Amino acid sequence: VHVLATNHHVCPVERDCVGDMADFRILKKRFKMTKLFITSPSVDLALLAIDVPSSDEAALASVAKNFSFKKDLKKGQDLLTIGFGVGGNPQNYMMANQDSDCKVFSATADYKLMADPDEFNPAGYKAWSFAHACDISHGDSGSAMVDRKSGDVVGIVWTGKIPKASEVQISANLSKIFSASSPAIWKELSYAVPASKIGEHLKKLTNDSQLDSETKLVFKAIIK
């Protein structure tokens, strides 16, 4: 079984995704989404099965990676994001961000169950989060948060304060906020769900009597 991860707010119910095609532009391939395993607001996560022909499995394996569930995030950890956010990207190109501000701003292993600070299109639930200052915008939802040095997938993008205050749009100010552990870290930046919280959630679900046996086996394989 091949499993795709995105946000709960991207795929809140089966009819929004199942039967549609997942577009892997980097591979120039598309795969049909065949089953919604779970969609969970508290980790803003949806997991779906995708139908991958055997002839495409090697290509997918070259870019696919599981979450790094067992490593806590550290303050200052350098990150990388790749997505299709519309901010400064009207042509909807695939864009990567790995500048000096793209790092963990919250304290080491500091995660909060927080409401969506997006003033334009807020989600109506809280999700486990860590703070970062990578450049994201609407359209980046579901993008992987990657440790820049190891390549580990350490989280998934879910939201950010939109519009951003002018003070956090300047690197010098961000450096001051980072050094001072300013309250702005949890009010004015961008936020992702940590992989460790996703792992905790999936582990609990393996004992959920309401889930079918295939879904439980998939979750156990993912978090082993």
Side-chain angles (χ1 to χ4, degrees):
V1 177
H2 298 274
V3 181
L4 175 149
T6 188
N7 289 134
H8 163 75
H9 71 261
V10 173
C11 186
V13 293
E14 187 177 81
R15 65 176 179 272
D16 288 333
C17 301
V18 173
D20 292 341
M21 304 297 289
D23 191 356
F24 290 74
R25 293 193 198 176
I26 195 170
L27 298 176
K28 297 181 180 178
K29 295 181 181 294
R30 305 173 78 223
F31 305 120
K32 188 175 182 178
M33 293 177 280
T34 58
K35 179 177 181 177
L36 177 62
F37 290 115
I38 192 70
T39 183
S40 296
S42 66
V43 285
D44 200 27
L45 181 76
L47 293 178
L48 298 114
I50 53 174
D51 184 17
V52 181
S54 57
S55 58
D56 288 328
E57 287 187 342
L60 183 61
S62 70
V63 297
K65 198 160 189 177
N66 198 1
F67 288 103
S68 181
F69 295 118
K70 297 180 180 180
K71 293 181 181 178
D72 272 319
L73 289 155
K74 297 179 180 180
K75 182 174 180 177
Q77 187 170 342
D78 292 325
L79 302 172
L80 163 70
T81 64
I82 301 174
F84 299 92
V86 298
N89 183 29
Q91 301 301 319
N92 195 222
Y93 294 123
M94 180 185 287
M95 303 288 285
N97 179 220
Q98 54 179 340
D99 61 30
S100 60
D101 300 325
C102 190
K103 61 186 178 183
V104 178
F105 268 60
S106 42
T108 297
D110 183 18
Y111 313 128
K112 296 186 186 298
L113 187 64
M114 64 177 289
D116 189 351
D118 184 341
E119 294 181 9
F120 289 158
N121 188 29
Y125 52 84
K126 294 181 179 180
W128 284 104
S129 308
F130 70 91
H132 64 90
C134 303
D135 295 328
I136 67 166
S137 63
H138 293 129
D140 282 319
S141 293
S143 297
M145 300 296 300
V146 178
D147 179 284
R148 202 184 309 168
K149 294 178 181 177
S150 68
D152 291 337
V153 180
V154 296
I156 189 169
V157 169
W158 91 277
T159 193
K161 176 63 181 341
I162 300 174
K164 289 256 189 307
S166 57
E167 66 173 312
V168 299
Q169 297 183 41
I170 300 171
S171 289
N173 289 342
L174 284 171
S175 294
K176 293 177 182 178
I177 290 170
F178 178 86
S179 299
S181 296
S182 166
I185 287 173
W186 286 108
K187 295 178 180 179
E188 299 291 343
L189 299 184
S190 296
Y191 306 96
V193 179
S196 59
K197 285 295 183 182
I198 293 173
E200 288 176 12
H201 187 69
L202 294 180
K203 187 175 182 179
K204 290 179 181 177
L205 290 176
T206 61
N207 296 314
D208 190 331
S209 61
Q210 297 183 17
L211 292 182
D212 62 81
S213 58
E214 182 192 25
T215 297
K216 289 181 181 180
L217 287 173
V218 167
F219 288 176
K220 286 178 181 179
I222 290 173
I223 62 176
K224 67 179 180 180

